[in-house]
Amino acid sequence: MSSDLPFNLIRRRGLMMVLSSPSGAGKTTISRRLLDTDHEISLSISVTTRPPRKGEVDGRDYKFIDTTEFNLLVNRDQLLEHAKVFGNYYGTPRLPVEETLGEGRDVLFDIDWQGTQQLAEKAREDLVSIFILPPSWFELERRLMSRAQDDPSEINRRMAKAADEMSHWAEYDYVIVNRDLDQSVQAVRSILLSERLKRRRQVGLSEFVTGLKAGH
Ligand code: 5GP
């Protein structure tokens, strides 16, 4: 019997993992930690009409575009999903996502509930959605204040919006209360690992088992 099992027959079908939360719940930090350690998943870089914040880099955090460019992308059907959030437009460029999934790699999305609903309508089977909740309202406020990137009126607006965003928690596959950053990152990693092992995502399994039975 050959000791070389044809493992290469098993390929993975890439998945789309969405992280949503009210701003300030820790989603961006969790995403960064995951991306730093897992090289089979990459971040979808959204386009937005929002002006860059201090420290944000065009092409890394977002692709910053104007409303005319945004409308052009929508009209040409080049966005997989798009939504208006806090008065600005945001959208996911379609091509990079399709290319990454085609290579059997995963894509991470930091998008809101509106975008998640649109992805679910288009590709429910490929979607894994996680909602991050803050441990308390007080903590959410504290994180938004300490971030101090937005002006005070923007912070108030976002606190008001947080309640609305949080009301969508039940539409997600998984919910994580972010009490402890390390534990939350670990929880996201566990979800990702389990979802990758789902039978339908392991393409070529039946050929592999046929080979096993034939003594390969
Ligand atoms: P921020 O302006 O704080 O970076 O993002 C505001 C909100 O917009 C966040 O909830 C974020 O997840 C969401 N968002 C960012 N990019 C996209 C996108 O491409 N599509 C959708 N639907 N929401 C997005």
Side-chain angles (χ1 to χ4, degrees):
M1 193 194 295
S2 161
S3 59
D4 279 335
L5 291 172
F7 282 124
N8 56 350
L9 279 179
I10 308 175
R11 286 212 185 75
R12 232 171 31 77
R13 177 186 162 123
L15 57 81
M16 308 196 294
M17 194 168 84
V18 170
L19 286 187
S20 296
S21 73
S23 44
K27 169 184 56 176
T28 309
T29 318
I30 293 172
S31 320
R32 287 205 185 119
R33 293 267 294 267
L34 178 72
L35 292 162
D36 282 348
T37 51
D38 189 318
H39 302 295
E40 279 187 61
I41 190 163
S42 51
L43 183 67
S44 162
I45 310 291
S46 297
V47 293
T48 182
T49 60
R50 158 170 90 58
R53 296 195 191 112
K54 207 163 150 258
E56 282 184 330
V57 177
D58 186 42
R60 185 195 68 187
D61 300 290
Y62 282 104
K63 183 130 186 35
F64 297 98
I65 61 176
D66 61 29
T67 312
T68 312
E69 288 174 281
F70 189 90
N71 289 334
L72 210 62
L73 292 176
V74 173
N75 293 336
R76 290 180 178 160
D77 198 26
Q78 287 175 352
L79 298 181
L80 205 52
E81 62 75 35
H82 60 92
K84 191 175 184 184
V85 189
F86 308 123
N88 295 303
Y89 294 98
Y90 295 80
T92 301
R94 177 191 297 279
L95 200 61
V97 175
E98 289 180 347
E99 280 175 359
T100 308
L101 293 178
E103 291 163 7
R105 292 164 41 79
D106 307 318
V107 183
L108 181 66
F109 299 82
D110 175 341
I111 62 175
D112 80 333
W113 62 271
Q114 304 175 79
T116 309
Q117 282 185 354
Q118 292 172 45
L119 291 187
E121 279 161 24
K122 287 183 178 150
R124 187 67 193 93
E125 285 281 287
D126 293 329
L127 186 69
V128 178
S129 61
I130 306 177
F131 199 86
I132 314 280
L133 285 171
S136 68
W137 185 255
F138 174 79
E139 182 59 21
L140 184 68
E141 195 165 30
R142 196 191 64 75
R143 287 183 196 171
L144 274 182
M145 303 293 272
S146 71
R147 195 185 272 184
Q149 288 218 3
D150 299 303
D151 62 49
S153 65
E154 181 70 13
I155 292 172
N156 286 338
R157 224 151 61 91
R158 285 179 180 235
M159 285 304 287
K161 270 281 192 184
D164 180 46
E165 178 81 24
M166 278 194 278
S167 64
H168 291 276
W169 66 272
E171 295 159 26
Y172 285 71
D173 299 324
Y174 300 92
V175 177
I176 296 173
V177 178
N178 186 20
R179 293 191 186 87
D180 175 273
L181 189 60
D182 286 339
Q183 280 182 15
S184 301
V185 173
Q186 198 46 50
V188 172
R189 284 201 189 106
S190 305
I191 293 166
L192 186 55
L193 179 63
S194 309
E195 291 285 343
R196 282 172 174 165
L197 290 172
K198 283 239 165 103
R199 195 177 58 229
R200 68 168 188 273
R201 297 210 168 97
Q202 298 195 63
V203 182
L205 266 185
S206 51
E207 290 85 346
F208 177 72
V209 175
T210 305
L212 276 182
K213 289 200 289 192
H216 293 297

